[in-house]
């Protein structure tokens, strides 16, 4: 009787050990093979989508960007007037030369704008409005060099009504942006290019930069 119970106990232990061993092998296989393949697969797919969006022929229903009316202004201080900027019209040019960061900015965050540069969210402000300015793009296209920026860097923003400079004071990856509505802060955002799952966890790379110089907009002309 005792021998029979011992045999059953040993058999049960072997079964449990076999189960644990198989589970451990699966976990190790996932970490070594499945996870890296998934990461690079998602990252590659993301790049393919963005390349396709950039080269895809626009239909009559698509918005069309307008660069013809843009002419950079050299005004760096004082008070200025600016004309109304319409949807998909070029707002200006962002740059931080030492980081290889350069990008055209268009009014409105839409497919046309981010295909050829970056889109300025029209519900927020524009340079000189003394409020936050929110601009987004793809990390594989217009904001490909956004990750190169570092705290203390100066970002230039040339517009048709003035030339502005903003100093980077914070860089973070988060699910939401946080900025004072009553202070002119430039917020640049894109999905982190090194995070293949950022589209699913809603995390974005945010670069915050406070205004250093540039004219104040006192009137908007229609």
């Amino acid at each position: 009787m005792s021998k029979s119970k011992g045999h059953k106990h040993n058999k049960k232990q072997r079964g449990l050990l076999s189960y644990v061993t198989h589970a451990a092998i699966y976990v190790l296989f996932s970490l070594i093979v499945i996870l890296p393949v998934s990461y690079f697969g998602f990252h590659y797919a993301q790049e393919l989508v963005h390349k396709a969006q950039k080269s895809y022929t626009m239909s009559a229903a698509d918005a069309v960007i307008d660069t013809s009316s843009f002419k950079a202004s050299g005004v760096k201080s004082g008070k200025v007037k600016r004309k109304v900027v319409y949807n998909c019209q070029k707002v200006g040019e962002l740059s931080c030369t030492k980081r290889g960061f350069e990008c055209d900015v268009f009014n409105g965050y839409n497919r046309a704008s981010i295909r050829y540069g970056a889109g300025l969210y029209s519900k927020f402000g524009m340079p000189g409005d003394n409020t936050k300015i929110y601009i987004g793009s793809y990390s594989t296209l217009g904001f490909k060099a956004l990750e190169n920026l570092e705290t203390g860097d100066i970002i230039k923003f040339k517009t048709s009504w003035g030339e502005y400079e903003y100093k980077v004071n914070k860089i973070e990856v988060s699910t939401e942006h946080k900025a004072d509505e009553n202070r002119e802060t430039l917020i640049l955002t894109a999905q982190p290019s090194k995070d293949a799952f950022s589209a699913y966890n809603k995390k974005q790379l945010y670069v915050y930069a406070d205004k250093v110089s540039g004219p104040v907009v006192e009137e908007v002309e229609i």
Side-chain angles (χ1 to χ4, degrees):
M1 188 78 177
S2 176
K3 213 172 188 181
S4 177
K5 282 184 178 180
H7 178 72
K8 286 182 180 179
H9 180 70
N10 290 335
K11 190 175 181 181
K12 188 176 180 180
Q13 279 188 326
R14 285 197 298 273
L16 181 61
L17 182 62
S18 176
Y19 175 79
V20 172
T21 301
H22 280 84
I25 291 171
Y26 178 77
V27 171
L28 285 172
F29 180 77
S30 299
L31 290 172
I32 296 171
V33 180
I34 298 176
L35 192 60
V37 169
S38 299
Y39 174 84
F40 289 109
F42 276 114
H43 188 68
Y44 181 66
Q46 186 184 51
E47 288 189 356
L48 283 179
V49 169
H50 292 167
K51 284 179 181 178
Q53 287 174 325
K54 189 174 182 180
S55 60
Y56 187 77
T57 304
M58 298 177 74
S59 68
D62 280 324
V64 179
I65 60 169
D66 174 20
T67 59
S68 61
S69 58
F70 179 78
K71 185 178 180 181
S73 168
V75 179
K76 297 182 179 180
S77 61
K79 294 182 178 180
V80 294
K81 296 179 181 179
R82 71 167 169 82
K83 294 182 179 180
V84 170
V85 183
Y86 297 101
N87 189 47
C88 290
Q89 187 175 343
K90 186 173 178 178
V91 174
E93 299 166 346
L94 287 169
S95 67
C96 181
T97 308
K98 71 176 182 178
R99 304 297 180 194
F101 177 69
E102 292 182 353
C103 185
D104 288 344
V105 179
F106 301 91
N107 190 33
Y109 185 80
N110 52 61
R111 191 170 68 174
S113 294
I114 60 179
R115 180 188 289 130
Y116 294 100
L120 184 149
Y121 286 72
S122 52
K123 70 176 182 179
F124 298 108
M126 290 193 178
D129 285 351
N130 196 36
T131 187
K132 64 182 178 182
I133 306 158
Y134 194 88
I135 302 173
S137 184
Y138 290 129
S139 58
T140 53
L141 292 178
F143 279 0
K144 193 170 185 177
L146 186 65
E147 292 181 328
N148 297 344
L149 296 177
E150 296 181 6
T151 303
D153 285 346
I154 297 296
I155 300 172
K156 289 187 177 182
F157 197 168
K158 294 181 180 180
T159 71
S160 57
W161 60 90
E163 187 174 317
Y164 298 82
E165 289 190 349
Y166 299 86
K167 186 176 182 179
V168 177
N169 62 70
K170 185 171 68 171
I171 300 172
E172 67 176 3
V173 174
S174 177
T175 54
E176 61 181 357
H177 75 275
K178 299 171 184 176
D180 188 349
E181 298 280 354
N182 300 314
R183 187 171 68 180
E184 187 158 328
T185 302
L186 179 66
I187 306 169
L188 308 180
T189 184
Q191 288 181 3
S193 64
K194 294 177 183 177
D195 185 353
F197 301 98
S198 60
Y200 300 96
N201 57 33
K202 298 182 180 180
K203 285 185 178 180
Q204 291 278 116
L205 170 66
Y206 292 101
V207 174
Y208 298 85
D210 286 333
K211 181 183 174 183
V212 174
S213 64
V216 175
V217 175
E218 63 175 355
E219 187 179 339
V220 179
E221 297 178 335
I222 299 175

